[in-house]
Amino acid sequence: GAVVSQHPSWVICKSGTSVKIECRSLDFQATTMFWYRQFPKQSLMLMATSNEGSKATYEQGVEKDKFLINHASLTLSTLTVTSAHPEDSSFYICSAPTSGQGGETQYFGPGTRLLVL
Amino acid sequence: GENVEQHPSTLSVQEGDSAVIKCTYSDSASNYFPWYKQELGKRPQLIIDIRSNVGEKKDQRIAVTLNKTAKHFSLHITETQPEDSAVYFCAASGSNNAGNMLTFGGGTRLMVKP
């Protein structure tokens, strides 16, 4: 399958810190990427759709000023958790459709585990 | 928007037995239904998928069936092995401004006892 990488794999930070997570498609281009959040023993919840060259589309209830998304190239999307608080601690996972343009088959990055103290 | 329900939330089977996980969806326009397996602390891995023009698909010990009329689809794992133990998620493809997005079911924790 297609390869999606994510960095860092885990972060521990103090409350109030901003954390940037990178998602890269390694062997294909993706004009669309998706960002999910997964709390322990729960399902994946879509946070936002990242669109190359334009604004991200956020799901209801997700604060766009807190979760900044930048999709600056066809292979890179970044999610910045601004002024992180303990309740933001979660597993953040990105995915990219192999068609590159919001097609159907999605492959996931390895995820970033965020712990805010 | 799309809503996907998944049952059961936990499933325990004896090694060698079959396991069945069922999902229902609400959006009749959905046309793509993947299944993911997620081991603890790891990324979801696509194990099988089915599109709406197909009623059944099989890949070795794994099969998926789709009933579009009833809006439900199921995952069947035969001859289960301990390494099948994981959380399984079904999903349905809806659409948004950027193209197709996936809505996930709540997950099923499968435990295969040796």
Side-chain angles (χ1 to χ4, degrees), chain B:
Chain B
E2 176 67 275
N3 182 47
V4 178
E5 300 283 341
Q6 184 172 346
H7 298 281
S9 56
T10 60
L11 178 60
S12 181
V13 300
Q14 207 65 36
E15 181 178 1
D17 289 349
S18 295
V20 180
I21 303 170
K22 298 181 179 181
C23 289
T24 60
Y25 60 99
S26 61
D27 187 352
S28 57
S30 291
N31 58 4
Y32 174 64
F33 308 92
W35 286 87
Y36 288 87
K37 174 184 180 182
Q38 187 179 30
E39 297 177 352
L40 187 63
K42 297 187 177 180
R43 77 182 85 193
Q45 297 274 13
L46 179 69
I47 57 171
I48 195 168
D49 56 16
I50 191 167
R51 287 174 169 78
S52 59
N53 58 340
V54 176
E56 183 174 355
K57 184 177 178 180
K58 189 174 182 180
D59 182 4
Q60 299 183 338
R61 297 187 296 110
I62 296 173
V64 57
T65 59
L66 171 65
N67 183 328
K68 284 222 74 180
T69 303
K71 289 189 284 189
H72 66 68
F73 56 113
S74 301
L75 177 71
H76 304 252
I77 306 174
T78 59
E79 301 172 33
T80 54
Q81 301 166 3
E83 50 265 37
D84 293 331
S85 297
V87 179
Y88 291 80
F89 292 99
C90 63
S93 172
S95 62
N96 61 10
N97 291 334
N100 293 337
M101 55 173 276
L102 292 176
T103 300
F104 285 85
T108 297
R109 185 172 302 276
L110 173 64
M111 293 170 283
V112 180
K113 299 178 182 177

Side-chain angles (χ1 to χ4, degrees), chain A residues 13-90:
Chain A
C13 67
K14 293 181 179 180
S15 186
T17 306
S18 291
V19 176
K20 180 188 280 189
I21 303 170
E22 294 184 348
C23 178
R24 293 181 185 272
S25 55
L26 296 186
D27 52 359
F28 65 101
Q29 295 181 332
T31 55
T32 300
M33 292 183 177
F34 300 95
W35 286 97
Y36 295 85
R37 180 167 51 183
Q38 186 178 35
F39 292 108
K41 297 186 178 181
Q42 293 189 22
S43 188
L44 295 97
M45 298 301 297
L46 180 67
M47 299 175 65
T49 303
S50 174
N51 305 302
E52 189 269 336
S54 64
K55 293 181 180 180
T57 305
Y58 289 84
E59 295 302 300
Q60 190 173 10
V62 178
E63 299 175 56
K64 62 180 181 180
D65 293 332
K66 179 167 183 65
F67 299 100
L68 301 179
I69 291 174
N70 184 14
H71 196 147
S73 77
L74 291 172
T75 59
L76 173 64
S77 174
T78 60
L79 168 68
T80 300
V81 183
T82 62
S83 186
H85 292 286
E87 57 266 30
D88 298 322
S89 299
S90 187

